[in-house]
Structures are given as structure tokens and as C-alpha cells.
Amino acid sequence: MNVEIKNFFLLMVSAITILLWTLFFMVDKQQTSSYELDRLVMERHEMIMYSKVLRQSSDDLSKYARLYAITLDEKYKEIYRNVLGVRNGEDSRPLNYDLIYWDLLEPQRSLRHPLGEKKALKEIIKELPFDEFEYGKLEQAQKNSDELAALERAAMSEASGEKGRGEAINFLHSHEYLREKAKIMLPLDEFLTHLEARTISQINSLKQAMENNMDNLIYVVVAFVIVTILFFILMYVKILNPISDLSEEIHKFKNSSDSTEDDKTFYDDEIGDLSKEFYKMRDKIKKDIKIRLSNEKKIREYLTLVDKNVITSSTNLAGEITSVSEAFCAISGYAKEELLGNNHSMIKHEDMPKEIYEDLWKTIKQDKTWSGEIKNRAKDGGFYWVKATIYPIFDEERKKIGYTAIRVDISDKKEIDSLLRNSKLNEKKIQDYVYLTDRHVITSSTDLQGNITYVSEAFSKISGYSKEELIGQNHSMIRHSDMSGEVYKGLWKTIALGETWRGEIKNRTKEGGFYWVDATIYPKFDIFGKKIGYTAIRIDVTDKKKLEELIDSNEVTATYNSQLL
């Protein structure tokens, strides 16, 4: 049973939908046939009823014509006229006139049968669905009844005279009168016989169609029940049971991620594919967990190393210090106990413009990162310069809880910058300072084409190259492939104009590794003011960059913040 679930559902839903539509259609057809049967029965009843009304009106006319001829009572003559008036639509038709009416006495007759609208019997008959033969017979009976009524009215007129009364009575009871009466009844009898046969045939035909439809309806219901049961059985076997097994596997893995049970195989369908993907994901998660545990151990070890070598601190939203690294304590001269709980302004140097701090706070309060150079005051009253990167920190619910700063000591670099700003012609003084700091400051010089003319011991140490391997080579030999060409275009454009360029650069070591430096590159001039090359002073910011990359990683941010706070 390797049908895809999508196709399985499409097949079963299509079958059920077709059966439902068929069932709906057949039920609707049965209901329509039932309405049609009720209509036929009602129409048959009305057609027979009004044909009997025609016959009854003829009998009533005969009855009251005879009574008048015998009694000469004017009330019978009036009733005769009313019967004729109702039939011809000249008088109002009483309610339920087809029931007992003239045999009731007044006022009971009027109370039980109030008068309605005026409508001739001939008009009522036209509105009923008689066929041509039936309508013809009714018209014939109506015509013969009108002719007989003319004879009855003539006899009633003669009966008012003394001599004519006996003749009228005799005529109204004569064989001739009965023969004229039969001319009315024969078409009615033929009408009723034809109407009975026609309507019974229609009713029986419709009943047979309803019985056939009901049989088919039962078959469709049985088929629908069977398909529905089959659908649920297959859904359990193909979907619910595999899902239950897969859920059990997930639950086992959730409670014991190092489970080594064999993988269960399911049908070759979407759930089977889902199961295979789960097992792949499970194996990958197991592998990732091992890697993560190893990485977290390395991160903690690295953070311990960073604590000793990177100048970091964290504060709450009010700027009160919540954590500091050992490197921070070393450069500031304060112990951790002296710093924690105090405001960060305790190391603020009075030389720093207040605008710097206004911009700093404005930036970090907008949840942005601020970078810049800051002069701080040491415990002994001295000072030191750092390049700081300050960014907000958040808790697990993304609520801002404080700020963290990562710094690099740039005191030596700032001192050299100060010398550079004093004069372009004190190159010898600068070189003297460079040689003095040769072992600690990463410096190099190049000619105008970028060929290395001088490197410090600190440069050789961090790059892995000896001075002999570097001097005479183009500075691009340590360029790392990760650095964008746009950075170097901007760098050369700046120094070619005789200006100083500052920025962070990733360089390649001799062994193929890398290191980051914060570089300041400025042009060199001879005693005549002619540009003869470039000098770069760098600060190692590799640990700072690695820490920033770790902080940017969602995987370790929580670990880092937990170490800092």
C-alpha cells in the first residue's frame, strides 16, 4: 500500500464526494417526486370535486324546479335562481360550496358558509389541468346543463298559471326530461372514467419511479457506508498508526537523545518520507549536540582567556557596573570589588568632551552599537586610551537589561598620533619612538608602491614572517582573501591624497591563519615635504573581533551574556 497520502486522500475524498452528491441528488429527486405525487393527488381531487359540483348544480336545479312546480313556493324559485347565479358567476360563491349547502336552513347556512368572490364554475374548470378530451366533455355537460336549465325555467314559468302547473309537473318528471338530464350525466360519466384512468396511470407511474429511486438510494447509502468505513480503516492503517509510531519515536528521542534503537520503516509515502527526514534530523541533532557541548566548553575556555586579556565590562541600564574582566582591572588599577556596583563614570577622564558621551548614550539607548576612542582615568590618577565598542544586551524575552563594552588599549597608538599631529618634519623623532617600541608596537613602512621598507619585531611575530622575508616584498603578501577590495580602494585613495586612514584589517599569517589589527596609515615626507612612502601603526584586535563574532552568533550569545552578568 504505497499510494501517496495526497493521492489516497484525493481518491477517497473524490469517491465520498461523488457518493454524497449522488445521495443528495437521489434524495432531492425522491422529495421532488413526493411533491409531484401530492400535486397529482390534489389536482385529481380538485378536478373530480368541481366536476361533481357541475353535476350537483344540475341536480339542485332539477330539485328546486320540481319543488317550485309542485308548491309554487317562491323561496324555491329564489334558490333555483341562486344556484344558477353561483354556477354562472353572477352571485358570490359560498365557502366550501361543494359540501352540504342548500339542505341547510337559514341562518345556519350563511353562518357555516359565508359568501366569497364571484367566479363562474366554467372559469374555475379552465384553471385546472384537464386534458383536451376531459375539458371537451365538461364543456359538453355544461352546455347540456344550460339547455336543460332553459327548459326548467320555461316549465317554472308555466307552473305559475293554473292550467300549466300540471303540465310543468308532468314535464319535470317525464321520460323526456330524464333523457335531457342523461345528456348532462353521460359526458360527466365519460369525463370521470377518462380522468380516473389518466390520473391513476400518472400516479402509479410516479410511485414506481419513486420505488426504483428508493432502491437505488439504499444501494448508494450502503456504498457510502462501506467507502466511509474503508476510508477510516485505511486512514488508521496508513496515517494514524504511522503517526502514532512516529510520535512515540519523537517522544523517546525527546526523553533520551542518546537512544540507539533501530529506525522504524513506514510506507513509501509522505509519512514515510517524514520519518526518514526525522531520523536524519535526529542523527544530525545528536551530532550537533556533541559539537555544541564541545563548542560550549571551548567558548567557556575562550571566555576565561578573554577575561584575562580583553578589556570588557557590563553595566545595567543606569550605567552601574555589573561585571568587569581581569584585563579591565589591570589597565584601570582598580580591583573588581572597587568597580562592581559603582557607576562607570568613576573612570571618566575630564579631558573627554561631554558631546562624546551624549552621542554614546543616544546611540546605545536606541539599541544601536557605538564605536569610538575614549580616554579613561586610572586609579593612580594616570590615564589610558581605549578603542571601545558598546552595544546593548537583552534577556531571553528580548528585554534590554544593560550594556556591554569591549575595548582595545590604544595608548601607544594615541601617543604616536599625537607626535604626528605636532609636525610632519619630525620623522627622526618618530622613528626613535618606533624603535623604542619595536618589540611591542606592530609597525611597518612602505614606499609609494607599497613595497615594505621596514617592519617591527612585533609585526614579524604576529605575521609569522621574519624581517628578511618581509622587507622588499609588497605589502599585499599579507592581504587576506576575506577583505573586500573596496576597503583597499578607499585606503589607497585616502593616503594618496596625503591624508591619514584608520580602520580594521584582517591579515593572513605565514601559516595560513589570520589576525585582525586596528590600523592607522599615514604618509611619510622627506625634509623637503615630498611624500616618500607610508607608515602603518597597528593594534592587535584579534581577540576583540573573535569575541564580537561570538556575540553576534545566536548560538553563543546567551552563554557569553551569562558569563558577563
Side-chain angles (χ1 to χ4, degrees):
M1 194 184 299
N2 290 329
V3 180
E4 291 185 353
I5 293 175
K6 177 181 68 175
N7 295 331
F8 164 73
F9 265 99
L10 183 63
L11 178 64
M12 298 304 296
V13 170
S14 297
I16 291 175
T17 301
I18 291 171
L19 287 172
L20 279 174
W21 274 108
T22 304
L23 190 63
F24 173 79
F25 173 77
M26 297 184 74
V27 169
D28 182 68
K29 183 179 179 181
Q30 192 75 0
Q31 190 175 32
T32 302
S33 298
S34 178
Y35 292 152
E36 180 68 12
L37 181 61
D38 292 342
R39 184 185 64 79
L40 283 176
V41 172
M42 182 60 69
E43 288 179 350
R44 178 173 179 271
H45 168 74
E46 288 184 341
M47 289 187 287
I48 292 174
M49 181 186 71
Y50 282 107
S51 66
K52 287 182 178 180
V53 169
L54 177 60
R55 181 190 62 78
Q56 184 63 42
S57 66
S58 178
D59 288 344
D60 288 340
L61 290 173
S62 296
K63 174 182 176 181
Y64 289 109
R66 288 171 175 172
L67 285 173
Y68 176 76
I70 293 171
T71 64
L72 295 179
D73 190 337
E74 287 296 323
K75 70 178 181 181
Y76 296 123
K77 187 175 182 180
E78 181 64 21
I79 290 174
Y80 183 92
R81 190 196 66 77
N82 286 339
V83 170
L84 201 59
V86 170
R87 190 177 78 176
N88 295 334
E90 297 169 356
D91 292 340
S92 298
R93 180 173 293 275
L95 182 65
N96 297 325
Y97 183 64
D98 53 301
L99 304 178
I100 297 172
Y101 182 73
W102 295 113
D103 291 330
L104 298 175
L105 300 176
E106 291 291 358
Q108 192 178 46
R109 181 195 303 158
S110 296
L111 290 174
R112 293 186 61 82
H113 298 274
L115 298 179
E117 63 176 341
K118 294 179 180 180
K119 195 166 188 179
L121 181 60
K122 188 173 182 179
E123 293 178 8
I124 295 174
I125 289 173
K126 284 183 178 180
E127 295 174 356
L128 296 173
F130 296 109
D131 63 15
E132 188 175 348
F133 175 83
E134 293 162 356
Y135 188 72
K137 290 300 179 180
L138 287 174
E139 278 194 325
Q140 185 180 350
Q142 174 88 31
K143 178 182 177 184
N144 293 338
S145 179
D146 291 340
E147 291 177 355
L148 182 59
L151 294 175
E152 290 169 344
R153 287 196 300 274
M156 290 170 67
S157 296
E158 291 180 2
S160 58
E162 190 64 33
K163 294 181 179 181
R165 183 181 178 191
E167 294 180 2
I169 294 172
N170 290 334
F171 171 74
L172 292 173
H173 293 84
S174 66
H175 183 71
E176 179 185 359
Y177 179 79
L178 293 177
R179 188 167 54 249
E180 293 297 323
K181 187 78 170 178
K183 290 181 180 180
I184 301 171
M185 298 305 162
L186 180 59
L188 286 176
D189 188 56
E190 292 174 340
F191 159 80
L192 289 171
T193 301
H194 181 274
L195 177 64
E196 182 76 11
R198 178 176 69 83
T199 53
I200 288 297
S201 176
Q202 289 178 325
I203 290 172
N204 289 339
S205 177
L206 188 56
K207 283 182 177 180
Q208 185 61 47
M210 290 177 67
E211 289 178 4
N212 294 338
N213 188 64
M214 181 58 71
D215 292 339
N216 293 332
L217 184 59
I218 292 172
Y219 295 145
V220 172
V221 170
V222 171
F224 176 76
V225 172
I226 292 173
V227 170
T228 304
I229 293 173
L230 181 62
F231 171 73
F232 282 107
I233 291 174
L234 292 176
M235 188 171 69
Y236 175 79
V237 172
K238 190 173 179 63
I239 301 174
L240 297 180
N241 193 44
I243 288 177
S244 177
D245 289 341
L246 181 58
S247 298
E248 184 179 353
E249 290 294 307
I250 294 172
H251 182 71
K252 287 180 181 178
F253 175 64
K254 178 182 176 182
N255 294 326
S256 179
S257 58
D258 59 348
S259 175
T260 57
E261 293 187 14
D262 294 336
D263 298 348
K264 283 190 176 181
T265 57
F266 300 102
Y267 299 111
D268 189 14
D269 53 22
E270 290 89 339
I271 294 180
D273 293 339
L274 182 64
S275 302
K276 294 174 185 176
E277 291 301 318
F278 163 70
Y279 291 126
K280 289 180 183 178
M281 181 187 69
R282 181 199 63 186
D283 295 339
K284 186 177 183 303
I285 289 174
K286 288 180 179 179
K287 183 178 178 181
D288 289 345
I289 288 174
K290 291 180 180 179
I291 295 173
R292 180 172 183 139
L293 290 174
S294 176
N295 287 343
E296 286 182 354
K297 182 180 178 182
K298 291 178 181 178
I299 290 168
R300 289 188 179 92
E301 292 174 351
Y302 183 77
L303 290 176
T304 301
L305 183 64
V306 166
D307 184 59
K308 294 181 179 180
N309 297 281
V310 180
I311 306 166
T312 64
S313 66
S314 294
T315 71
N316 58 21
L317 296 176
E320 295 169 348
I321 300 172
T322 56
S323 72
V324 291
S325 66
E326 290 184 18
F328 187 102
C329 295
I331 196 171
S332 67
Y334 288 97
K336 285 188 178 183
E337 295 73 16
E338 295 175 296
L339 293 167
L340 296 178
N342 288 310
N343 197 282
H344 217 290
S345 60
M346 69 182 291
I347 60 170
K348 179 179 177 181
H349 199 281
E350 56 274 9
D351 289 350
M352 287 298 294
K354 65 177 182 178
E355 290 79 12
I356 296 292
Y357 290 101
E358 289 175 356
D359 177 66
L360 186 158
W361 278 102
K362 180 180 179 182
T363 301
I364 61 177
K365 282 185 176 181
Q366 293 176 349
D367 297 344
K368 297 178 181 179
T369 300
W370 181 88
S371 293
E373 296 179 348
I374 298 177
K375 184 177 184 180
N376 286 332
R377 183 172 55 81
K379 182 179 180 180
D380 60 7
F383 68 90
Y384 59 95
W385 279 90
V386 293
K387 181 172 183 180
T389 300
I390 305 174
Y391 61 92
I393 52 176
F394 303 87
D395 62 13
E396 293 179 353
E397 299 178 354
R398 294 300 299 165
K399 180 181 178 182
K400 185 164 64 174
I401 57 175
Y403 307 97
T404 288
I406 303 173
R407 306 168 183 82
V408 176
D409 183 7
I410 58 171
S411 300
D412 290 338
K413 172 179 172 295
K414 293 295 289 185
E415 188 168 348
I416 293 175
D417 286 345
S418 177
L419 288 172
L420 290 174
R421 285 194 297 271
N422 289 336
S423 174
K424 291 182 179 180
L425 301 178
N426 59 357
E427 179 66 21
K428 184 176 185 303
K429 187 175 181 181
I430 294 173
Q431 289 297 332
D432 290 341
Y433 183 83
V434 170
Y435 291 137
L436 182 64
T437 59
D438 186 56
R439 294 177 59 84
H440 305 288
V441 181
I442 306 167
T443 62
S444 66
S445 296
T446 70
D447 59 20
L448 294 175
Q449 286 72 44
N451 298 316
I452 300 173
T453 59
Y454 164 78
V455 292
S456 67
E457 288 186 20
F459 188 102
S460 297
K461 183 178 179 180
I462 196 170
S463 68
Y465 291 97
S466 66
K467 288 187 178 184
E468 292 74 17
E469 291 176 300
L470 292 166
I471 293 175
Q473 301 294 325
N474 194 280
H475 216 290
S476 60
M477 69 180 292
I478 62 169
R479 177 176 174 179
H480 198 282
S481 56
D482 289 350
M483 288 300 294
S484 169
E486 296 300 321
V487 174
Y488 289 101
K489 287 181 181 179
L491 185 158
W492 278 102
K493 182 179 180 181
T494 301
I495 62 178
L497 294 173
E499 298 176 359
T500 299
W501 182 89
R502 291 180 176 84
E504 293 181 343
I505 298 177
K506 185 177 184 180
N507 287 332
R508 184 174 57 84
T509 65
K510 181 178 180 179
E511 293 78 13
F514 70 90
Y515 60 95
W516 281 89
V517 293
D518 185 302
T520 300
I521 304 174
Y522 58 92
K524 295 194 307 178
F525 302 88
D526 62 13
I527 59 174
F528 302 106
K530 180 182 178 181
K531 186 168 61 175
I532 58 174
Y534 305 99
T535 291
I537 302 174
R538 306 169 184 83
I539 297 172
D540 182 9
V541 293
T542 305
D543 287 339
K544 170 181 172 291
K545 293 297 290 186
K546 286 182 178 180
L547 186 57
E548 288 176 350
E549 290 174 3
L550 286 172
I551 292 170
D552 288 339
S553 170
N554 290 331
E555 185 176 350
V556 299
T557 299
T559 304
Y560 175 73
N561 285 340
S562 66
Q563 293 285 320
L564 292 179
L565 297 179

